Amino acid sequence: DFMCFYSAAQLAGSGELYHPEAVVRAQSRLWNSPRSLPYTRLPFYAAMLSPLRLFSYHHAYWAWQLGSLIAMLLFVYFWPAPRRWMAAMACCWSLPLLDCFFVGRDVPVIMAVLAISLALLFRGRDFAAGCVFSLCLIKYNLFLPIPLLIVGRRLWRFGGGMVAGGAALLGISFAVGGWSWPWQYVAVLRAPRTTGRYSGMPNLHGLFSSLPPSVLLEAAGTCVVLAAAWLVIRRGELGTAVAATLVSGLLISYHAFFGDALLLMPASLLLLSRTPNVPFRVATMFMLSPLAYLPFLLPAPRFAPAAVVLLPL
């Protein structure tokens, strides 16, 4: 994945961020054989990554890995819980986090943003929390149920912060990508190779990928997931509501891979610290352990690995 981010840093501001030919040209010298990965993030993220163009690919790669490590340390430091050692322990044995370092994913950045935002939210600084959370637009597909959290918990100031931060990021996107980038971006998302049918995805798309009427099943499953999340958001306390939002966001994300299951870590940590129910605590501890993610690593599992992700829901 880092190859994609490095080429985006080179193409930022050129107007060719979503042009397949430009992406192939920027990435061709990074591989021994022809291969390219489309850039599926918004233009403001490419602007944030643009300093990477000042370094060679090798040095930029190690700077990225160091940045990912710092991001996870920030996650542990800012995580809103009295026992931070639990968050540190969960990071140390997380297989999705290991995958993020192997592949060069940017989920650790999202984890740091999430921890800082939740720390502000639980301290009553809703507007600031929303401004910070707007950076999750980097991978907005993982946070689609956020409007349910805002409406269900009446977090209007948090929503206002998200709108303010999001407006600033969209302004940067138009400054970097020009006025035509939304149409180019939609074309990239609609390309068949952007999101294929793959049973290893930790979401409903992966769960139903091997079944014939997958679109109808995904639509029905999305309705069930959102209904379940809404019930928890309305009836549970704030930490449980946030956990339900994270889990349901991953399930309906459509475009997500093994490393994105790292979002289940903060969801499970929130649930573990807020329930005295023993079976429930055992279930959340299971979701924090490597055992829950072993099916994703098996060469030929007998069931869709995403079925495990349904447990915290």
Side-chain angles (χ1 to χ4, degrees):
D1 278 17
F2 175 72
M3 181 192 68
C4 174
F5 303 143
Y6 186 71
S7 63
Q10 294 176 318
L11 296 174
S14 66
E16 297 183 325
L17 193 58
Y18 303 112
H19 289 193
E21 298 81 5
V23 173
V24 171
R25 187 168 60 251
Q27 296 180 4
S28 60
R29 65 178 182 274
L30 306 177
W31 291 88
N32 294 326
S33 57
R35 182 183 177 186
S36 66
L37 293 174
Y39 178 69
T40 57
R41 306 286 190 268
L42 297 178
F44 77 86
Y45 190 47
M48 294 171 60
L49 298 176
S50 59
L52 292 175
R53 72 173 77 176
L54 302 176
F55 304 94
S56 67
Y57 181 79
H58 179 77
H59 290 94
Y61 171 79
W62 286 110
W64 176 265
Q65 294 287 29
L66 179 60
S68 297
L69 178 60
I70 293 173
M72 291 311 301
L73 292 176
L74 290 174
F75 168 79
V76 173
Y77 180 79
F78 284 102
W79 182 247
R83 293 175 290 183
R84 291 193 178 96
W85 65 266
M86 295 180 65
M89 189 176 192
C91 291
C92 288
W93 66 3
S94 172
L95 291 181
L97 178 57
L98 188 63
D99 177 78
C100 289
F101 280 103
F102 280 161
V103 184
R105 302 191 192 278
D106 55 356
V107 189
V109 177
I110 298 296
M111 296 289 284
V113 170
L114 188 61
I116 297 172
S117 177
L118 291 181
L120 293 169
L121 181 64
F122 292 153
R123 292 176 184 173
R125 302 175 63 181
D126 293 15
F127 186 82
C131 290
V132 174
F133 191 86
S134 66
L135 286 171
C136 289
L137 280 172
I138 293 171
K139 291 180 73 71
Y140 62 87
N141 58 302
L142 299 177
F143 302 96
L144 297 179
I146 281 295
L148 296 182
L149 178 67
I150 295 173
V151 174
R153 305 296 306 188
R154 299 183 181 276
L155 299 174
W156 308 124
R157 294 185 63 195
F158 178 79
M162 282 189 58
V163 171
L169 295 177
L170 286 179
I172 296 173
S173 293
F174 280 103
V176 173
W179 293 105
S180 61
W181 74 262
W183 292 270
Q184 300 170 8
Y185 181 63
V186 170
V188 170
L189 295 184
R190 296 184 61 184
R193 65 187 297 260
T194 300
T195 305
R197 300 183 65 177
Y198 173 52
S199 62
M201 290 184 175
N203 52 19
L204 296 179
H205 188 54
L207 185 65
F208 299 130
S209 62
S210 60
L211 302 177
S214 59
V215 175
L216 296 178
L217 287 174
E218 283 183 55
T222 298
C223 293
V224 172
V225 167
L226 292 178
W230 175 253
L231 290 176
V232 177
I233 289 170
R234 290 288 293 168
R235 298 180 181 181
E237 54 89 37
L238 181 58
T240 308
V242 172
T245 304
L246 295 176
V247 174
S248 58
L250 178 64
L251 284 171
I252 69 172
S253 57
Y254 191 77
H255 181 95
F257 294 90
F258 181 51
D260 295 315
L262 186 59
L263 274 184
L264 294 178
M265 180 198 297
S268 299
L269 287 171
L270 286 171
L271 295 175
L272 185 62
S273 63
R274 282 166 167 77
T275 175
N277 186 287
V278 174
F280 204 87
R281 291 175 67 87
V282 171
T284 55
M285 290 177 66
F286 172 73
M287 292 305 302
L288 286 171
S289 75
L291 296 176
Y293 305 98
L294 289 179
F296 288 95
L297 305 180
L298 297 177
R302 296 185 179 181
F303 60 91
V308 180
V309 184
L310 296 173
L311 181 61
L313 181 69

